[in-house]
Amino acid sequence: MGWGDLGAFGEPSKETPNLDQMASEGMLFLDFYTANPLCSPSRAALLTGRLPIRNGFYTTNAHARNAYTPQNIVGGIPDSELLLPELLKKAGYTNKIIGKWHLGHRPQFHPLKHGFDEWFGSPNCHFGPYDNKATPNIPVYRDWEMVGRYYEDFHIDLKTGEANLTQIYLQEALDFISRQQASQQPFFLYWAIDATHAPVYASKHFLGTSQRGLYGDAVREIDDSVGKILKHLQKLNISENTFVFFTSDNGAALISAPRQGGSNGRFLCGKQTTFEGGMREPAIAWWPGHIPAGKVSQQLGNVMDLFTTSLSLAGLQPPSDRQIDGIDLLPAILQGQLIDRPIFYYRGNEMMAVRVGLYKAHYWTWSNSWEEYSKGIDFCPGQNVSGVTTHTKEEHTTLPLLFHLGRDPGEKYPISFASAEYQGAMERISNVVQQHRVTMVPGEPQLNVCDKAVMNWSPPGCEKLGKCLKPPESEPQKCIWSH
């Protein structure tokens, strides 16, 4: 979902009344970022509080390539990483993930082995349908075992876009919250639905109801679901004891636009890029009785901050034996303080850009390759900026491209290298980058090796359903990333 997809962020059709109300009752973050412009690395960052380059969710197979977790990836979240639910257990929390996990699908990467007590959802996105011969359909799990597969037992109509998945995920959330309230048990719910990811889907009640087509239908259903979750918390009289945060894993995928892609507002490009459209996200904090209503924050935030902030809410300290990149946002949320901190824009194994204050310096630029672009794959459709949205990996480490995001949020007008403004801003940014690089110890890359034999052929529970498939011979090889 993109920064510009909500009415509270200026979407003109105003079809997100519940999220807009959530913003009016809480705090809107205008400058909130993901840690990577792609889904799985950003999820790893959210749950570890660490940049993907540290937690291993990157590839070294090709410089500055994004990498994700398709079915044939061998790696996943390492045991050495401490995830938020593992730490929250120390304070007595019960933890549930609903929806997309995306941190590895092999048994050792199962979410219940990394702190979650319950899971209803899938290890990957709802891609398919596949033929169960060359590629197996992706499983859906309840806790330790699969309960079916996408397109077989969990239907998605690719012609109409109809699927009931968001309604299933909503009911799972409401039931979990009710159970925890009844048992007086503190809980952490990670509600990670994927309806706006192509192929976009929505349930029958929402199909055809948006001015924005099928993508808008999906957004409307997510908005309605969030509204029902918030109302449920209020009905159970636990809203004042429950901190809720809404955001996205990366910017809208303009490659899927206009039929199945969202809006990144005034920002440049979208998912897969380290321009603002790829990494700046809609973000809303809600906590009645604690967060002053109707506040708009200029605090620079990042999904990794949700790790540190959540630990703070639970009365816990972040691990001291590793570099944590997330900061505690509570002073910004509760007292309106502004915390000085940089934002690092990583793509694969490369730091592409840095934001300090209102200035953003690009050390590398690259949208997608000429080869892919010539096939009609475009991460920045209609937004070509000469010398900025490059189709080859362009290095600017000697003279970074500098933008002032207050005056130029679309990154269209680089500041002159010869100006005093450039010299002053780059002096400050260079110091921040130098300090960052001193602390940088990359983790073991988890997304380098692929093997068809590790795909979802025979997930736990397949025997009971008669859905086990025979895997091919193991042939590990270097993963190739086309984009």
Side-chain angles (χ1 to χ4, degrees):
M1 187 179 286
W3 190 94
D5 276 331
L6 306 184
F9 286 83
E11 206 292 313
S13 65
K14 303 291 185 185
E15 294 179 343
T16 54
N18 295 287
L19 285 162
D20 297 348
Q21 183 175 341
M22 181 184 180
S24 71
E25 294 174 356
M27 178 174 283
L28 197 70
F29 283 84
L30 297 179
D31 297 82
F32 195 86
Y33 291 84
T34 184
N36 189 277
L38 209 63
C39 33
S40 54
S42 67
R43 291 160 193 264
L46 183 154
L47 290 175
T48 63
R50 286 154 55 81
L51 285 162
I53 191 75
R54 298 193 208 273
N55 64 40
F57 263 72
Y58 69 101
T59 181
T60 57
N61 286 354
H63 181 64
R65 295 270 178 175
N66 280 330
Y68 55 102
T69 55
Q71 291 198 61
N72 58 350
I73 281 281
V74 170
I77 195 70
D79 283 340
S80 57
E81 291 297 320
L82 289 172
L83 274 62
L84 176 59
E86 293 179 74
L87 298 169
L88 289 176
K89 274 184 178 293
K90 296 177 180 178
Y93 279 73
T94 299
N95 310 301
K96 179 161 186 166
I97 170 174
I98 297 173
K100 179 179 172 183
W101 166 240
H102 222 193
L103 301 188
H105 59 277
R106 299 170 71 200
Q108 64 267 41
F109 306 127
H110 193 290
L112 270 61
K113 287 193 174 181
H114 293 272
F116 285 102
D117 300 290
E118 299 181 22
W119 180 26
F120 183 85
S122 178
N124 300 78
C125 214
H126 54 281
F127 294 125
Y130 297 119
D131 60 8
N132 286 339
K133 295 175 183 176
T135 307
N137 278 323
I138 293 167
V140 175
Y141 279 78
R142 179 171 297 284
D143 299 334
W144 288 108
E145 297 184 341
M146 69 174 284
V147 291
R149 294 182 185 270
Y150 283 137
Y151 297 92
E152 299 171 30
D153 312 282
F154 295 87
H155 299 289
I156 303 169
D157 188 324
L158 291 180
K159 290 183 179 178
T160 64
E162 183 178 350
N164 207 36
L165 290 170
T166 301
Q167 292 303 306
I168 296 171
Y169 293 149
L170 169 61
Q171 195 58 51
E172 285 286 325
L174 299 178
D175 290 347
F176 175 72
I177 292 168
S178 293
R179 280 189 281 114
Q180 299 315 305
Q181 189 271 344
S183 65
Q184 298 295 295
Q185 185 78 18
F187 65 88
F188 165 51
L189 172 61
Y190 177 34
W191 197 65
I193 54 4
D194 62 357
T196 50
H197 191 299
V200 173
Y201 64 80
S203 65
K204 187 174 183 178
H205 179 72
F206 290 91
L207 284 180
T209 64
S210 169
Q211 297 178 49
R212 304 178 64 200
L214 180 57
Y215 183 89
D217 296 342
V219 171
R220 287 199 67 236
E221 185 166 18
I222 290 171
D223 173 77
D224 182 77
S225 298
V226 171
K228 285 184 168 69
I229 290 171
L230 299 184
K231 287 182 177 67
H232 194 59
L233 294 171
Q234 291 169 325
K235 178 183 174 183
L236 295 175
N237 294 317
I238 57 172
S239 60
E240 293 193 3
N241 293 330
T242 310
F243 177 82
V244 185
F245 202 95
F246 178 89
T247 190
S248 176
D249 60 351
N250 46 247
L254 300 185
I255 188 176
S256 307
R259 289 182 58 83
Q260 299 210 357
S263 168
N264 296 314
R266 294 182 63 192
F267 302 122
L268 185 62
C269 299
K271 178 178 178 176
Q272 309 244 30
T273 77
T274 49
F275 301 109
E276 290 297 288
M279 292 186 61
R280 202 188 294 205
E281 309 305 329
I284 304 168
W286 185 86
W287 189 11
H290 300 270
I291 297 175
K295 293 293 184 180
V296 177
S297 178
Q298 302 289 343
Q299 173 65 48
L300 293 188
N302 194 288
V303 293
M304 297 180 292
D305 302 341
L306 299 179
F307 173 89
T308 310
T309 304
S310 298
L311 292 178
S312 179
L313 285 163
L316 299 171
Q317 293 294 319
S320 59
D321 63 343
R322 63 199 63 207
Q323 184 72 33
I324 300 296
D325 297 292
I327 66 170
D328 183 359
L329 289 176
L330 288 184
I333 293 172
L334 300 180
Q335 286 104 38
Q337 296 180 21
L338 286 180
I339 305 160
D340 187 27
R341 62 88 65 86
I343 296 292
F344 297 100
Y345 302 69
Y346 271 85
R347 178 167 165 164
N349 60 342
E350 186 61 60
M351 187 196 76
M352 303 286 284
V354 180
R355 176 175 174 179
V356 175
L358 285 168
Y359 289 98
K360 179 179 179 182
H362 287 269
Y363 288 74
W364 289 83
T365 53
W366 185 34
S367 57
N368 62 316
S369 67
W370 280 116
E371 179 185 3
E372 295 296 302
Y373 183 69
S374 66
K375 297 175 185 175
I377 297 171
D378 190 357
F379 299 153
C380 312
Q383 291 185 295
N384 179 57
V385 180
S386 180
V388 179
T389 55
T390 54
H391 292 289
T392 55
K393 294 184 280 288
E394 298 291 332
E395 185 173 4
H396 307 281
T397 51
T398 304
L399 278 176
L401 297 181
L402 183 68
F403 297 89
H404 187 286
L405 294 178
R407 301 191 302 260
D408 179 23
E411 298 169 279
K412 293 181 174 65
Y413 308 105
I415 295 170
S416 169
F417 298 136
S419 67
E421 181 183 15
Y422 182 93
Q423 302 300 325
M426 282 310 307
E427 182 176 351
R428 185 181 174 203
I429 292 172
S430 296
N431 288 333
V432 169
V433 170
Q434 186 176 4
Q435 292 172 23
H436 174 67
R437 287 184 167 146
V438 167
T439 73
M440 181 48 65
V441 179
E444 185 71 25
Q446 296 294 309
L447 309 180
N448 277 354
V449 180
C450 287
D451 186 350
K452 287 190 174 182
V454 307
M455 291 198 290
N456 291 287
W457 301 103
S458 298
C462 68
E463 313 87 359
K464 297 177 183 177
L465 302 173
K467 288 187 174 289
C468 299
L469 302 170
K470 185 179 178 181
E473 291 293 320
S474 177
E475 292 184 14
Q477 55 191 294
K478 180 179 178 179
C479 297
I480 302 300
W481 310 105
S482 61
H483 51 269

